[in-house]
Amino acid sequence: MVDRSHLKVPKPTPVDLTKLPLKFPKIEIDYSKCTVPFWCKKCLQACSQLVFQVYCKQLARLKESDPREPGTYEVVTVRRDKCNMCNKCVEVCPEDAITITY
Amino acid sequence: MCIYCELWGDGMTWYLNPKNYPRHMYTLPRPDAKPRAAAGEANPGGYINAERALVDAMEKGPEEFEATLKAMRDGADLVQGCVGGFMGQAVPLRDAEKMVEMANPLGLIACLCRKAMLAVEERSRPETTCMGLGVGMLKWERWPERYKGGVHWVSSDEAKEWLRDLDTRGFMHSLMMFGPRFIGGICNCDYPVCDALAMRLDFGFNMLKGHHVAMVDHDLCNGCGICAQRCQFGALKMNVTIDKANIDQMRCFGCGLCETGCPRQAISLVEKAKLPALQEVW
């Protein structure tokens, strides 16, 4: 690793370290039910806090998989720290794949 | 002085220095070379995993959080070699227009953040919100089935028009880098959707503030509030007591959205170099 300590890199930390550890809601997704998230995208659009992200799980070289094919994309919970437990994603999910616990 | 100017500026603003635009980065592999794993193939969702690790570390405690943040800042997880893990800088519209004059070729592409966050596929030219600068875009053109939507080539005049249109819609411009030093594109971001901006505002890394800050002329301001709608950073608020706009320069990123949106030209961008107290605020 190159030593870059002499450079004046700004170090803002908007996260209050004295308040850690924090407790966040646990969001579980049943991947046997949720198979085509990129095609469905209901939870992604319902969430006001943008907790979820979707990514291509099976990335073939020089080709991206078909979003309509089951199991190629996967929706994951990234920003659980922003979840306010409004349960809108649970309501809109057509497969009832999402459960939120605190 | 901003850290990038210090390293690569050669006495001028670093993103207006033609040296920092790639010209020789796109190389064809030798015929006998082994095929390399494409970026992301070995570790799909690598960026997402790093973000999830950060949120998980917040649940564990301050020591774990700082260690994870440090690992991300050093670029071990994200972008190899980027100084401090920073990947971009906010640029006002006028500088973005200078940038598209300098770089060649220019290609409009689909935004990866919007694809991951909202599953939006920007497949046609009017939908695109991201611009790639330089020869790296030839790769996007070669494999349209890999890079969804491909690339729409534009001239610098068309690119300026496109930038102004996005500015009217309220997107904040920022440059992004492909690896250290080389400017790879101009992003047009808004707060919760843009990953880089969310990381910066929530965790404090990934993007630098620009070289300008906005100032209000209270004699010209009529309190219409358009600028307050356009600010992505919570820096511009309406001062209700006197019914004028008020800008917190410590929070201002210098994106210039309030300036371009103001119908009375009451807001102007001031260079940070003229304000001594802001020299360390990046």
Side-chain angles (χ1 to χ4, degrees), chain B residues 268-279:
Chain B
S268 56
L269 286 182
V270 182
E271 277 187 39
K272 252 185 185 175
K274 291 178 184 162
L275 302 162
L278 292 175
Q279 293 311 303

Side-chain angles (χ1 to χ4, degrees), chain B residues 127-222:
Chain B
E127 290 175 329
T128 51
T129 51
C130 195
M131 183 194 283
L133 312 172
V135 286
M137 283 304 101
L138 297 169
K139 198 173 172 181
W140 288 62
E141 192 193 29
R142 253 180 87 187
W143 296 303
E145 68 276 14
R146 168 74 181 83
Y147 302 102
K148 281 276 167 68
V151 51
H152 309 274
W153 300 110
V154 285
S155 68
S156 63
D157 286 339
E158 285 169 329
K160 279 184 197 171
E161 201 180 303
W162 176 83
L163 277 170
R164 278 186 222 119
D165 180 41
L166 286 170
D167 199 274
T168 316
R169 282 165 66 189
F171 288 106
M172 165 253 173
H173 318 289
S174 70
L175 60 90
M176 60 173 163
M177 293 197 290
F178 289 150
R181 152 166 232 168
F182 291 112
I183 297 163
I186 298 177
C187 291
N188 295 282
C189 317
D190 53 336
Y191 163 61
V193 180
C194 175
D195 224 353
L197 210 51
M199 286 288 108
R200 164 70 210 226
L201 292 174
D202 298 341
F203 298 119
F205 68 103
N206 225 340
M207 193 189 275
L208 283 192
K209 293 181 183 181
H211 286 88
H212 301 82
V213 285
M215 294 263 197
V216 191
D217 186 344
H218 277 182
D219 294 337
L220 287 170
C221 178
N222 62 355

Side-chain angles (χ1 to χ4, degrees), chain A residues 21 41 54 61 64 79-80, chain B residues 36 56 59 115-116 119 202:
Chain A
K41 63 182 106 173
V54 63
R61 180 160 174 80
E64 206 158 65
R79 299 297 304 276
R80 280 188 299 119
Chain B
R36 280 182 304 158
D56 289 342
E59 281 188 318
K115 190 180 170 188
D202 298 341

